[in-house]
Amino acid sequence: MALDVVEAIRQLQDRSSAKRRSAAKRLRKLGDSSAGPALLEALKNEVRDSRTWETQYQMTMALGTCGSPSDLPYLRDLVLRRETLHAVHTAGGDAIVRLSHMEHSHTEAIRWCLSTGDEILVGGALQAVAMLRLALEQETVTDILDFIEARSPHEGIYFWPTVAAAGWTGQRVHHFLTECLSSPRSDVAEAATNSLAGNYGTYRPL
């Protein structure tokens, strides 16, 4: 039987990393804001152990669906730490955009992620942009494409902006997607086909 919110919150304190991870995944799916404070405290404890990267990822992603904008200072600090794991950078970018979207400040959050130059963090942010189907202002889209196109087309960072571009407009976007049709990565080429047809596809983050 699936855990309810109270049971999942309790399980965040389990001695088993696998069970803590399962609890975080359940809370991420439920999206209940009452779990936000417990998730924040659990994440603060979890990031002390570099062996539990999968659990840290799921806790951070869950905080993005259950937390509040008041959690943003901690998340921004976390992803700027040198010792923070790559998985948390991805999930952190996603969570920062989601929580910023609650107070309509996602544009500033996206620009902040871009300003760090951290490709993994930006990839996570664009994952959230795609999943939330955010229609961004042209200047922000241009900044995103400038960042992406400065990287090799072999890199995975191309995937989520290609998905997100289904909701963007302009000649620059059309050119970007057309170029992505011949990407050396089949996932990017498929996403470009969908986006050119105005279809976001059925992609989901891990």
Side-chain angles (χ1 to χ4, degrees), residues 1-38:
M1 182 180 296
L3 299 175
D4 63 22
V5 173
V6 174
E7 292 168 334
I9 290 174
R10 186 180 304 119
Q11 191 166 300
L12 289 173
Q13 305 302 320
D14 197 276
R15 295 182 62 182
S16 165
S17 177
K19 287 190 175 181
R20 296 194 301 274
R21 179 165 65 253
S22 177
K25 291 176 72 173
R26 178 60 178 162
L27 291 170
R28 174 183 168 190
K29 183 176 182 179
L30 292 171
D32 192 319
S33 61
S34 67

Side-chain angles (χ1 to χ4, degrees), residues 126 129-131 133-136 141 144-145 158-170 172-178 180 191-192 194-200:
L126 294 175
V129 171
M131 290 295 93
R133 302 188 176 188
L134 298 180
L136 305 177
V141 170
I144 290 171
L145 294 182
Y158 271 74
F159 178 71
W160 286 114
T162 305
V163 176
W168 302 345
T169 60
R172 174 81 183 276
V173 174
H174 187 271
H175 177 74
F176 170 73
L177 291 174
T178 301
C180 286
N194 285 331
S195 290
L196 282 167
N199 176 16
Y200 281 92

Side-chain angles (χ1 to χ4, degrees), residues 83-94:
E83 69 272 18
T84 297
L85 303 175
H86 284 180
V88 179
H89 281 237
T90 298
D94 185 289

Side-chain angles (χ1 to χ4, degrees), residues 115-159:
S115 74
T116 68
D118 183 337
E119 295 181 19
I120 300 172
L121 178 66
V122 171
L126 294 175
Q127 174 178 281
V129 171
M131 290 295 93
L132 294 171
R133 302 188 176 188
L134 298 180
L136 305 177
E137 60 186 31
Q138 203 62 46
E139 184 179 358
T140 303
V141 170
T142 297
D143 288 343
I144 290 171
L145 294 182
D146 285 345
F147 187 96
I148 300 302
E149 291 178 336
R151 275 74 186 168
S152 166
H154 290 83
E155 295 183 21
I157 196 171
Y158 271 74
F159 178 71

Side-chain angles (χ1 to χ4, degrees), residues 98-109:
R98 289 179 184 274
L99 296 179
S100 297
H101 183 53
M102 290 182 180
E103 56 181 12
H104 308 290
S105 63
H106 53 273
T107 297
E108 185 274 333

Side-chain angles (χ1 to χ4, degrees), residues 52-128:
T52 65
W53 66 269
E54 292 174 291
T55 302
Q56 293 177 36
Y57 173 86
Q58 292 297 341
M59 284 184 176
T60 308
M61 290 292 287
L63 190 61
T65 62
C66 300
S68 73
S70 64
D71 300 323
L72 286 167
Y74 172 76
L75 287 172
R76 291 194 180 199
D77 174 71
L78 179 63
V79 298
L80 290 177
R81 297 178 194 169
R82 293 182 60 184
E83 69 272 18
T84 297
L85 303 175
H86 284 180
V88 179
H89 281 237
T90 298
D94 185 289
I96 286 168
V97 170
R98 289 179 184 274
L99 296 179
S100 297
H101 183 53
M102 290 182 180
E103 56 181 12
H104 308 290
S105 63
H106 53 273
T107 297
E108 185 274 333
I110 294 166
R111 290 184 178 279
W112 181 83
C113 291
L114 290 170
S115 74
T116 68
D118 183 337
E119 295 181 19
I120 300 172
L121 178 66
V122 171
L126 294 175
Q127 174 178 281

